[in-house]
């Protein structure tokens, strides 16, 4: 039985269809970010572990998600990134859009995808860290 890691990266179906390597890129980054946050002491209290779900989606999906009624605390980090914090569950759901312009660039230059996603998600995790007063990674 496998236990869920604190940080999960989930690319949307539209992105999975468009970029064949995105799932493996996300799996590698998931391992990397879980290790970095562990060494930065994000999980000091084992009974109270913060779970972070990073949803990598198209801009259209993120725009639709923004319009849904969320009862939790919402933070808008940018036009293409927002998060929903469920304090009672110690969980952050973060929706990150790959904009139409970014999709065009990444489709033309597929070799940019791994580094691009790494930089974007790293920035988002540090925004979450600032919001929750955790050390940056």
């Amino acid at each position: 039985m496998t236990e869920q890691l604190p940080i999960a990266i989930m690319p949307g179906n539209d992105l999975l269809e468009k970029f064949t390597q995105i799932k493996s890129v996300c799996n590698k980054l998931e391992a990397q970010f879980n290790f970095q946050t562990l060494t930065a002491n994000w999980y000091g209290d084992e009974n109270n572990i913060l779970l972070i779900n990073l949803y990598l989606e198209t801009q259209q999906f993120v725009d639709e998600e923004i319009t849904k009624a969320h009862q939790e605390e919402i933070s808008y980090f940018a036009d293409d990134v927002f998060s929903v914090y469920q304090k009672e569950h110690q969980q952050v759901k973060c929706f990150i859009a790959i904009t139409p312009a970014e999709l065009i660039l990444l489709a033309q230059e597929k070799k940019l995808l791994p580094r691009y996603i790494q930089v974007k998600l790293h920035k988002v995790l540090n925004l979450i860290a600032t919001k929750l007063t955790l050390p940056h990674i």
Side-chain angles (χ1 to χ4, degrees):
M1 185 167 101
T2 13
E3 230 176 283
Q4 180 186 355
L5 293 172
I7 296 174
I9 303 170
M10 293 161 274
N13 290 333
D14 290 343
L15 297 176
L16 287 167
E17 289 175 17
K18 193 168 191 76
F19 303 104
T20 55
Q21 82 267 37
I22 197 167
K23 185 66 179 163
S24 66
V25 167
C26 288
N27 287 341
K28 288 176 189 173
L29 289 174
E30 198 172 273
Q32 176 185 330
F33 290 138
N34 274 292
F35 178 75
Q36 288 175 333
T37 54
L38 177 67
T39 59
N41 199 27
W42 281 27
Y43 316 112
D45 180 2
E46 288 185 23
N47 297 323
N48 207 11
I49 301 243
L50 175 67
L51 300 176
I52 300 173
N53 293 328
L54 302 173
Y55 299 95
L56 202 55
E57 296 285 353
T58 62
Q59 185 71 54
Q60 180 183 356
F61 182 93
V62 170
D63 290 344
E64 290 170 7
E65 193 65 32
I66 287 173
T67 64
K68 292 182 180 175
H70 291 280
Q71 303 300 324
E72 302 86 1
E73 180 183 338
I74 297 176
S75 298
Y76 296 94
F77 295 129
D79 290 344
D80 59 347
V81 180
F82 81 97
S83 70
V84 179
Y85 179 46
Q86 297 172 315
K87 194 171 190 168
E88 66 278 359
H89 298 296
Q90 280 294 98
Q91 183 174 25
V92 175
K93 293 180 181 178
C94 191
F95 297 88
I96 304 132
I98 306 293
T99 66
E102 293 166 337
L103 283 172
I104 291 169
L105 174 66
L106 293 171
Q108 292 171 346
E109 299 291 334
K110 293 197 187 296
K111 67 180 186 262
L112 295 177
L113 184 72
R115 181 72 177 138
Y116 171 79
I117 292 175
Q118 178 184 17
V119 169
K120 191 161 189 154
L121 295 183
H122 186 260
K123 181 179 177 181
V124 167
L125 285 170
N126 280 329
L127 290 169
I128 292 169
T130 299
K131 174 83 176 152
L132 301 177
T133 61
L134 295 166
H136 281 208
I137 59 169

